[in-house]
Amino acid sequence: MKALRKYLDKIKPNFEEGGKLAMFRSVFEGFETFLFVSSETSKSGVHIHDSIDAKRTMTAVIIALIPAVLFGMYNTGYQHYLSIGITPGIWSTFLYGLLAVLPIIIVSYVVGLGIEFTVAQWKHEEIQEGFLVSGILIPLIVPVDTPLWMIAVATAFAVIFAKEIFGGTGYNIFNVALVTRAFLFFAYPASMSGDKVFVRTDSTFGFGGGTVVDGFSGATPLGQINIAPAEQIGSFQPVDVLGNPLSLWDMFIGLIPGSIGETSTLAILIGAVILLFTGVASWKTMLSVFVGGAFMACIFNLIGTTVYMTISPLENIILGGFAFGAVFMATDPVTSCRTETGKYIFGFLVGVMAILIRVLNPGFPEGMMLAILLLNTFAPLIDYYVVESNISKRLKRAINK
Amino acid sequence: MANVIKIKKGLDIHLKGSASNVPLKGNASETYAILPESYNGISPKVIAKVGDKVKAGSVLLVDKNHPEIKFVSPVSGEVIAVNRGEKRKLLSVVVKPDATIEYEAFGKKNVANLQPEQIKEALLEAGVWPFIKQRPYDIVATPTDTPRDIFVSTHYTAPLAPDFEYILKDQEADFQTGLNALSKLTPGKVYVGVKKNSTLKPSGVEVVEVEGPHPAGNISVLINKLKPLNKGEIVWTVNPDDVILIGRILNKGIADFTRLVVLTGPETTERGYIRTIAGCTIKSLVEGKLLEGKEHLRIISGNVLSGKKVSKDDYLYAYDNQITVIPEGDETFEFFGWATPGLGKFSVSHTFLTWLIGKHKEYVIDARIRGGKRAMIMSHEYDKVFPFDIYPEYLLKAIISFDIDKMENLGIYEIAPEDFALCEFVDTSKLEIQQIVRNGLNLLYKELN
């Protein structure tokens, strides 16, 4: 490591103001701090600092996402082979998924980080780590058959218009990954919904070819629920791509069609435990989303005039993007509420809105994305009233002294 | 014990290198200095000239705005330098001491018979007035004000902080005199914060027990939990060491600035309490007691959270009773430091595996910032170590945007920069929070006065 350090010290002057490669300064600094923790010492204020920094925090989130990523890859392969009627080994299944998902991850990172690097250099700032998380979230919330160019366009749109124009990481109002998803959803609705996009039936890089079996349908369970006629109330049964009934357990484990990372509630729960234990995400937000969702689902159960209304709170939570949104999206500290009281309100309303949109809007079988984006808008307002109550308490005290 | 305050929010950082309650011999200080930088809210005007012979208690400088506030020489000798920095900013007035100290005689005072005005005069005359600070703004108190209450906290809770009860030994009478004098200066009460099960029993004041992690001993905790400060009100605060000083000067009638300074930190070879005189050189306190040669050291006048970085040629800051020596750390480059499991790295968060080791292990933490500066990303980080009914993040944002109404409404009058020290320590975004608060208070003071 010493040799590497020496080499970095040797080439460093080139990147400093006036050096030959000064235009790549931010990139160099980015890599330098990536390789070695900065040895800069404090000049004013506290003389010692906690070891945590933005890189470490983002790393914790990425580690928490790994179970969902790996399971998403496996499930992509699983759904594919199910649809062509072959039962290969576990490794072939995973390999197929890996080959299908990896290009999406690469495109998301290359486009997003490319923009981040450019903007950082342009503003003469350090490269910020925010996109390390957004870049892995994006592949997890899109259908596997989304064309790569669409992902590239949507990522670029989100990074520029949802983040950089606000000032970069820490200043954005909307969750960047969800803006990407929303852009795809509204700009290319045909490629983002329906029953064709959630299961890849073609071969990937010439791997895993075959013909789709008869009776195949790639509709997600929520898609099936959404179109089920009212006569099926009480008898409705979600099915897999071949029409076999799905049990609650299958849906919890996540071997169902859906966006890449959202299907397995189990993998998401492992992530949730990591996030909560490391203290990176707030349990208040997370819990409130689930409570809000269950609450709204119960209300709809009482009404029960469509199949969707009769879906139990538990199924509502483990199906679709609800759990993923609750654990990884609603808890984004930058775009959710920043006061503790606010977090309860924010989370609860996200849960309520998600189920409300799901059940009542015939166009969209899923409502989590819109619910979180909507509440992102209201988060500052909620915080404003929480802080305002502290202010009025202080003013009252001054008057009553 | 009538009053007990318990706080839960906060953080005790267990550092290696605590001092046990033993005396330690310092070296003779070659020079002594008054550092105007120690005192907030004053504009110094130099009275003494280079070459002047002075006694302990002779005036060296005064405050331009309140010339009655005097800063006196702690020793007798010759003024050898008036150091100025950029824009002729006064840095220090240096005195070379005589072999034996001669004192200006102010006359012994019997506090019981004095009027408040006479006490103020005596304190101003002897040069101990600057040790009385006021809230809001955390600046030197204005003699013409009458404070609502006066607060003293004898419970030092910062990392490696001295034990006041050890410092107090044999000085109980002076401490009591100091408190008596202070209680004459306010129509309200003098509140004295003490640690749990303290043996301290001063009379004529309101004794309050404080329990909990740091910043339990900060004066703001007493104020905030007992009688929060409202707009327009003024309270005064005095460090307990300086209460002793005030009492001693009234009792003895001479400007005797002797104080105990504790030498602490992992990079010291000997630790303990050194008897010295305010304004002494750092060298006289640390020479021969450091682990030198191994790596760069950082010497801090004060504690690791709110002290100032000094070198051996600098001087002890006026309010300080502690020297901490830690490794600087600027020679350490950690390969992929952010990705390692992080055993043994101190962090409040569980993102490092340090939590496996247990809470009470003692750490050596060097002065590295350990990360780049970012916008505020994490929420609720500051709140966990900030035991006041204030939203720290929102107050900081109000200060940064200098929105006076917001700052007032969010409680800036109730706090001092040191209260934000732990926020700065735990901050993922590595912002210089204490500096932000100090600048905010200074600007606000300028704006409103």
Side-chain angles (χ1 to χ4, degrees), chain A residues 1 4-5 9 12 31-63 126-130 132 167-171 274 276-282 284-285 331-343 379-380 382-384 386-401, chain B residues 11 13 15 159 224 228-233 298-300 303-309 326 328-342 345-353 355 365-381 383-384 389-391 393-394 397 406 408-412 414 420-422 424-432 434-435:
Chain A
M1 295 314 109
L4 184 61
R5 183 66 242 167
D9 285 338
K12 201 172 184 175
F31 278 105
E32 194 194 2
T33 55
F34 179 77
L35 290 170
F36 294 97
V37 172
S38 160
S39 64
E40 196 189 342
T41 55
S42 68
K43 295 195 176 56
S44 82
V46 293
H47 298 270
I48 54 175
H49 282 84
D50 194 290
S51 299
I52 195 162
D53 69 343
K55 282 190 181 63
R56 187 76 181 187
T57 312
M58 300 301 169
T59 312
V61 182
I62 291 173
I63 290 172
E126 259 187 78
I127 291 166
Q128 302 186 338
E129 295 83 359
L132 291 179
T169 304
Y171 299 107
I274 296 173
L276 293 181
F277 182 75
T278 54
V280 172
S282 163
K284 291 174 183 161
T285 318
T331 55
D332 172 4
V334 176
T335 57
S336 90
C337 276
R338 300 185 67 86
T339 58
E340 295 309 283
T341 321
K343 281 173 187 165
I382 298 169
D383 280 340
Y384 174 83
V386 173
V387 174
E388 205 61 23
S389 76
N390 178 272
I391 290 175
S392 61
K393 197 160 82 184
R394 184 165 289 107
L395 291 177
K396 245 185 223 157
R397 194 180 72 204
I399 294 163
N400 299 338
K401 64 180 174 188
Chain B
L11 174 68
I13 305 165
L15 291 185
N224 195 279
L229 197 58
N230 298 308
K231 193 185 172 181
E233 293 178 335
R298 168 169 296 211
I299 307 172
I300 301 159
N303 62 58
V304 287
L305 293 178
S306 51
K308 292 195 177 66
K309 181 184 173 181
I326 59 170
E328 179 77 22
D330 59 343
E331 297 137 300
T332 323
F333 286 92
E334 256 180 279
F335 189 62
F336 275 106
W338 54 273
T340 54
K345 282 191 195 171
F346 185 83
S347 178
V348 189
S349 81
H350 283 179
T351 54
F352 292 84
L353 292 182
W355 53 270
I365 305 179
D366 60 36
R368 280 177 302 145
I369 301 172
R370 295 151 206 274
K373 216 185 249 187
R374 297 289 180 267
M376 286 179 199
I377 297 173
M378 302 303 288
S379 58
H380 196 48
E381 229 178 7
D383 310 63
K384 280 186 202 158
D389 187 18
I390 288 174
Y391 283 99
E393 183 187 322
Y394 287 86
K397 284 178 177 168
K406 266 269 166 64
E408 286 183 343
N409 287 340
L410 289 168
I412 191 162
E414 299 168 39
F420 283 89
L422 281 173
E424 195 175 341
F425 173 79
V426 299
D427 189 11
T428 303
S429 303
K430 310 292 178 189
L431 301 172
E432 290 174 344
Q434 289 184 94
Q435 195 58 47

Side-chain angles (χ1 to χ4, degrees), chain B residues 261-275:
Chain B
V261 174
V262 68
L263 179 64
T264 61
E267 302 300 297
T268 50
T269 51
E270 288 176 89
R271 293 180 275 273
Y273 292 76
I274 303 173
R275 185 169 292 278

Side-chain angles (χ1 to χ4, degrees), chain A residues 260-283:
Chain A
I260 295 168
E262 69 173 21
T263 59
S264 172
T265 311
L266 179 67
I268 293 164
L269 280 182
I270 297 171
V273 169
I274 296 173
L275 283 184
L276 293 181
F277 182 75
T278 54
V280 172
S282 163
W283 64 267

